[in-house]
Amino acid sequence: MQSTSSSHAVAAGSSSPAANTATGARNWRDYALLVALACCWSSTYPLAKLALPTIPPITFISVRSLIAAAFLFAILWMRDVKVPTDAKAWKLFATQQLINSTFPFLVITWSQQYVPASNTVVLASTTPIFAFLITSLITRHEPATLLKLVGAILGLAGTIAIIGLDALHGFGSDIIAEIAILLATISFACATIFGLRLSDYDPMVVAAGSLLFGGLVLLPPSLIIDQPWTLHPTFQAIVATVVMGIVSSALGLMLFYMCLGRLGTLTTNAQGYLRIPIGVALSVLLLGESVPSNLALGLLLVMAGVAAMTVPAERLKRLTLPGRDAR
């Protein structure tokens, strides 16, 4: 499939999430993509934890984004897929990258200096909660069912279990960092809704364009603040950065846009819950982290919400909230 500026242009002012919401029956392949996305993104936080000790956050995000963009552009070149050159397309790519990666990952990467990777995985996986609230109260581009509401509440209860129990020890740098991660997830939720505007583009083109912008916009601050030529990253940090660029950023972002087009906003966001057991397992395996009791409680609660948020809407028409149409 070729993506050209003429055949895939999407006007930001005329295209709405409602117009692009995934429709039609879903099959096992769609959910397989969702699981694959969860696997790609669950490795983000453990890998970042390995890289951050010797690579500062701004440089780390810029480098991994540029590695991911180079990887995807190479594949696009081999596929002979043309990348749009019009300003409108790149404005969409830039906006999506800012709210889906650059801003939230800067916040999360900073927070990871104070928060264990397993906790970060759980906190950053609360995106479905905020996506549900935004969809239900503001955009209303997808049906808000009682079962999805239950799923969101269960996920929120898991978050409260993690943040609330930590807060009993007093507000400190860890609590501030954990709250910052939650704020970043709101940006992720907005990005999943805005990302529906890009459904007419080849997912690989969107991922490549977004990552290129994200890497380039952070390059000047990296050169000025971090002065990368003075750094001495470990071999482990370099490998983690490359793997994260290709697996988490390149493949993960491409799968993300594929899932948005096939499954819609709320179901795509539910992969955040699927990331939890995978991410926690990787944190324990790669970093030797233990799972505290409050994290285990939150894990049980948020996992209970994943089924509720991924049940196909056509099976739940009778449970649609009053005043909402199961469109």
Side-chain angles (χ1 to χ4, degrees):
M1 177 174 63
Q2 286 198 346
S3 297
T4 61
S5 58
S6 60
S7 62
H8 293 84
V10 181
S14 61
S15 178
S16 65
N20 291 320
T21 300
T23 58
R26 299 167 183 173
N27 55 47
W28 68 269
R29 294 182 182 84
D30 298 326
Y31 292 104
L33 288 175
L34 197 67
V35 174
L37 172 59
C39 290
C40 285
W41 278 0
S42 65
S43 64
T44 297
Y45 308 108
L47 288 173
K49 202 73 173 180
L50 293 174
L52 285 174
T54 55
I55 303 178
I58 296 177
T59 297
F60 172 66
I61 295 176
S62 178
V63 170
R64 68 153 189 163
S65 297
L66 292 175
I67 290 174
F71 176 78
L72 290 177
F73 274 109
I75 296 178
L76 289 172
W77 178 76
M78 290 186 288
R79 290 175 57 199
D80 194 28
V81 175
K82 296 181 179 178
V83 178
T85 56
D86 57 292
K88 185 179 296 183
W90 282 92
K91 180 180 178 180
L92 289 173
F93 296 164
T95 302
Q96 178 67 7
Q97 179 67 9
L98 285 173
I99 61 176
N100 190 52
S101 183
T102 305
F103 166 74
F105 272 111
L106 276 175
V107 173
I108 290 175
T109 303
W110 169 81
S111 300
Q112 278 198 273
Q113 298 174 92
Y114 310 100
V115 180
S118 54
N119 291 63
T120 304
V121 169
V122 177
L123 291 172
S125 297
T126 57
T127 301
I129 301 167
F130 296 109
F132 177 88
L133 294 175
I134 295 171
T135 299
S136 177
L137 301 177
I138 302 175
T139 63
R140 301 186 179 183
H141 63 280
E142 293 182 23
T145 65
L146 288 174
L147 199 56
K148 285 186 171 62
L149 176 60
V150 169
I153 292 174
L154 286 173
L156 181 59
T159 302
I160 293 173
I162 297 166
I163 295 294
L165 292 178
D166 283 345
L168 294 178
H169 301 291
F171 287 96
S173 59
D174 288 1
I175 297 301
I176 293 174
E178 289 172 338
I179 293 174
I181 294 173
L182 287 179
L183 293 177
T185 65
I186 298 177
S187 186
F188 283 136
C190 293
T192 59
I193 296 172
F194 183 86
L196 294 172
R197 298 174 180 269
L198 299 164
S199 60
D200 286 345
Y201 292 90
D202 184 320
M204 188 176 292
V205 170
V206 178
S210 299
L211 288 165
L212 178 61
F213 173 82
L216 292 178
V217 78
L218 289 178
L219 188 57
S222 169
L223 296 175
I224 296 172
I225 299 174
D226 295 337
Q227 299 180 348
W229 57 89
T230 65
L231 302 176
H232 301 284
T234 63
F235 177 75
Q236 178 179 258
I238 294 173
V239 171
T241 303
V242 173
V243 172
M244 188 171 173
I246 295 175
V247 177
S248 302
S249 297
L251 298 181
L253 201 57
M254 182 179 67
L255 288 169
F256 169 71
Y257 292 116
M258 292 176 68
C259 288
L260 270 185
R262 293 168 179 255
L263 299 172
T265 301
L266 295 180
T267 302
T268 297
N269 274 307
Q271 56 77 31
Y273 295 152
L274 296 175
R275 296 204 311 261
I276 295 173
I278 303 171
V280 170
L282 287 174
S283 296
V284 173
L285 180 65
L286 297 178
L287 306 174
E289 294 186 357
S290 59
V291 181
S293 58
N294 58 327
L295 180 60
L297 174 61
L299 178 62
L300 290 174
L301 290 170
V302 295
M303 283 303 297
V306 69
M309 297 195 72
T310 57
V311 173
E314 57 268 17
R315 298 182 183 178
L316 301 170
K317 289 182 179 179
R318 294 182 181 180
L319 293 178
T320 303
L321 287 174
R324 305 283 197 274
D325 293 328
R327 295 186 291 274

